[in-house]
Amino acid sequence: MTNIEILGFTSAFLTTFSFLPQAIQVIKTRDTASLSLAMYSIFTVGVGFWLVYGIIKEDSAMIVANMITFILSSIILSIKVYNDLLVKRHTAHAR
Amino acid sequence: MTNIEILGFTSAFLTTFSFLPQAIQVIKTRDTASLSLAMYSIFTVGVGFWLVYGIIKEDSAMIVANMITFILSSIILSIKVYNDLLVKRHTAHAR
């Protein structure tokens, strides 16, 4: 493996697994107030597109990396959407 | 441009600019409580590595995309670190 390949794999490893501590924090605390709904919506769709791109290109590294990121990002997005809907319902009840 | 190229550019556009609404929200609200410090630290370093990778590979699309993501991610990380240090100082004063 060349130095450039090692750099590429390290970069992919870091950007992929960076979402793990965020997912763990959101699962533990259930707090998503400062997370942007727009960010996680757009990001999750974008990573899903990268996954399709990897599948078409038959690039196994891209498929694995984007699969993991897609799962982590989807978990964060799901809890964010759940919380936002809950807040809306609470606000509606309070009126 | 082929369909696969369009898919690649769309994916890159989405994952790059998804951090814009998060950066705007953090700048406006100054709230970073539910953002993971570990995530933004690891992610910013990872994107920095992707940027170096793009520069070495002389891939202008990678350079531009990772440059933008690096700037947005750095803004979010800076405010997160600032807030966390501020909270620590406040907690120390309260003792």
Side-chain angles (χ1 to χ4, degrees), chain A residues 4 7-8 10-12 14-15 18-19 21-22 25 31-36 38-40 42-43 45-47 49-50 52-53 56-57, chain B residues 4 7-8 10-12 14-15 18-19 21-22 25 31-36 38-40 42-43 45-47 49-50 52-53 56-57:
Chain A
I4 298 178
L7 179 66
T10 309
S11 312
L14 291 174
T15 49
S18 63
F19 286 87
Q22 180 70 72
Q25 182 172 322
D31 177 17
T32 56
S34 48
L35 297 183
S36 160
M39 175 197 151
Y40 277 96
I42 299 167
F43 186 80
V45 172
V47 172
F49 278 19
W50 273 130
V52 175
Y53 184 86
I56 294 169
K57 288 256 180 178
Chain B
I4 298 176
L7 180 63
T10 309
S11 312
L14 291 175
T15 50
S18 62
F19 286 87
Q22 181 69 72
Q25 182 173 319
D31 177 17
T32 56
S34 49
L35 297 183
S36 160
M39 174 195 152
Y40 277 96
I42 299 167
F43 186 80
V45 172
V47 172
F49 279 18
W50 273 131
V52 175
Y53 183 87
I56 294 168
K57 287 257 180 178

Side-chain angles (χ1 to χ4, degrees), chain B:
Chain B
M1 201 153 59
T2 66
N3 281 341
I4 298 176
E5 280 176 318
I6 292 170
L7 180 63
F9 277 108
T10 309
S11 312
F13 184 85
L14 291 175
T15 50
T16 298
F17 284 100
S18 62
F19 286 87
L20 188 61
Q22 181 69 72
I24 291 171
Q25 182 173 319
V26 166
I27 290 167
K28 275 189 181 169
T29 65
R30 294 274 148 180
D31 177 17
T32 56
S34 49
L35 297 183
S36 160
L37 177 63
M39 174 195 152
Y40 277 96
S41 307
I42 299 167
F43 186 80
T44 305
V45 172
V47 172
F49 279 18
W50 273 131
L51 183 57
V52 175
Y53 183 87
I55 292 167
I56 294 168
K57 287 257 180 178
E58 296 181 349
D59 184 324
S60 52
M62 279 198 82
I63 294 171
V64 173
N66 285 299
M67 184 88 83
I68 295 167
T69 313
F70 186 77
I71 292 167
L72 294 172
S73 175
S74 298
I75 292 170
I76 298 165
L77 178 62
S78 306
I79 299 175
K80 173 69 183 168
V81 169
Y82 177 82
N83 282 350
D84 282 13
L85 289 177
L86 212 69
V87 167
K88 262 198 186 156
R89 199 176 293 173
H90 271 284
T91 315
H93 273 281
R95 275 176 197 160

Side-chain angles (χ1 to χ4, degrees), chain A residues 3 5 8-9 20-21 27 34 43 46 48 52 56 59 63 71-72 75 78 83 89-90 94:
Chain A
N3 281 341
E5 279 176 318
F9 277 107
L20 188 61
I27 291 166
S34 48
F43 186 80
V52 175
I56 294 169
D59 184 323
I63 294 171
I71 292 168
L72 294 171
I75 292 170
S78 306
N83 282 350
R89 200 176 293 173
H90 272 284

